[in-house]
Amino acid sequence: MSRVTPGDLGLGNARFRVRDLAREAWLSVTGHPARSLLTAIGTVLGAAAFVATLGLSATVSAQVSDSFDVRRATEVVVRAADERDTGPPATSADPTPSWQTRQARQRLVELNGVEAAGSRVLLPEQSVRRTADSAAAERKARVIGMDSGAFGVIEPHVVLGRTFDAFHDRTAAPVALLPANIADGLGITRVGVAVFVGDRAYTVIGIFDDVARHPEALLSVLIPFDTANPSTGGAVAGVERDLVIRTAPGAAQLIGSQAALALAPENPAALLAVAPPDPATLRREVEGDVAQLSLILSLVALAIGTVSIANAATAGIAARIPEIGLRRAVGARPRHIFSQLLAETTVLGALGGLIGAVGGVLITIVVSLTRGWQPIIDVPTALLASSAGALAGLLAGLLPAWRATRIQPVSALQR
């Protein structure tokens, strides 16, 4: 018996245009919204996780970068290139090197990126007592002379009293700031009392328990810079001098290259500026690890969404066998059935990806604002999530659509 074709019956060959395909897929998806939503829920969650994890990882990476900049790249220390030579004094009556004078510091502060700067002179360890009696209980501590500008660099956390000011700088006042551990060891619980550093009395005007920079201050007695300066002709062995600088985040390397010229324009080679290394390599490694972990989690979530659509589409074929049989009976070819089911899963995946992308953006914004971060939204990532959802739907529909083409019209209509 010869095979009867639609042409033998006076009918044209069955055609399924792209417009018809899109319309059928859309009607099928929107005709059963609850079923479609349950089918696409995996893709929704996967796309949301994809956008949210990448968005939050970018936000966290920015916070990591800011933390590195703020914690590591905001301080510079300038000292004499030859530690045995602190440089020429400003005048014959003043042992202060010319690069540590107020005029030199003023030139430095005028540099763009310098937020605070101050001079220090570090004296050897001395005894600290409550009374002049050498037999009294004492603590050993180093003495650091520093001007008021240096306090803006180390930023001590004062728990009692106050720090030095310009008046103490100008008058070389015999006042001292004690770290809490030394004050506790000497039984000092209030300001205004006297302590003896070596054989000289100082009035305690403040007590601090922490510093933002230069932790050596936590084990030292702080006195005004001019008070600590050794007298002319009586230089003290072991004296060290430096100038500390606090910069804007990320400006330390630049200021480190300019500081010597600003402080000693006549001989910048005599000074050595030490800036912390730029943590760019470590920062990139941390950011890369965070992004890589987030991407892996996102891909896992999308894979789960793909399996969800595939399972739902496979289960849905059993309920649609009569419909498929009827379409085959009226002339639909296997490729038409394949194309329609594949279009339906692709539309489901695209809608799920779009909804998930919007949800991921909202999650990123809410979490970032709750944590006080600046949210970073990458629009291409959201678009990629939508496309990934469509691709997941396409891949998920391949096997169910192929199985649907194996259904014979006669057996389907008999159900």
Side-chain angles (χ1 to χ4, degrees), residues 322-396:
E323 174 195 340
I324 295 173
L326 179 60
R327 288 178 180 272
R328 291 292 309 277
V330 296
R333 296 184 178 183
R335 69 172 182 270
H336 299 153
I337 301 300
F338 182 86
S339 299
Q340 180 185 347
L341 293 180
L342 201 62
E344 290 178 11
T345 57
T346 302
V347 170
L348 280 174
L351 289 176
L354 180 61
I355 297 173
V358 174
V361 169
L362 293 177
I363 292 173
T364 301
I365 293 175
V366 171
V367 172
S368 299
L369 295 180
T370 301
R371 298 288 298 174
W373 299 338
Q374 177 68 37
I376 297 178
I377 306 299
D378 190 1
V379 176
T381 298
L383 297 177
L384 178 62
S386 301
S387 302
L391 178 61
L394 177 65
L395 296 176

Side-chain angles (χ1 to χ4, degrees), residues 124-150:
E125 188 178 77
Q126 301 184 43
S127 63
V128 184
R129 303 183 302 274
R130 284 288 301 271
T131 66
D133 186 0
S134 59
E138 66 177 32
R139 296 289 299 269
K140 293 290 186 179
R142 192 167 193 180
V143 179
I144 299 179
M146 51 193 299
D147 58 25
S148 56

